[in-house]
Amino acid sequence: MFKLAFSLLLISILAISISRKVRLASRYERAPKKLSTWNSLDKGIDPTEDQK
């Protein structure tokens, strides 16, 4: 019983420390550098106004 509890504790500490070092969410939260027509529609900008 003690070995199981100790191993679960060790694995949870290891998983938490790895998840703090590796930040995968920042890759997906970046804003695009140039707004595409789809992104401008999401922000409420009409992309047809810029076309002449």
Side-chain angles (χ1 to χ4, degrees):
M1 184 71 178
F2 178 72
K3 288 183 180 181
L4 178 65
F6 181 73
S7 63
L8 287 176
L9 179 68
L10 186 64
I11 290 172
S12 63
I13 290 173
L14 184 64
I16 290 171
S17 64
I18 289 174
S19 69
R20 286 187 180 182
K21 289 182 182 179
V22 178
R23 294 287 179 176
L24 296 177
S26 64
R27 172 179 10 178
Y28 302 110
E29 293 174 0
R30 286 188 220 154
K33 294 178 181 166
K34 182 184 176 189
L35 284 177
S36 68
T37 54
W38 290 105
N39 290 340
S40 59
L41 283 173
D42 288 340
K43 297 203 180 275
I45 302 168
D46 187 10
T48 58
E49 292 177 355
D50 295 336
Q51 297 176 354
K52 292 182 180 179

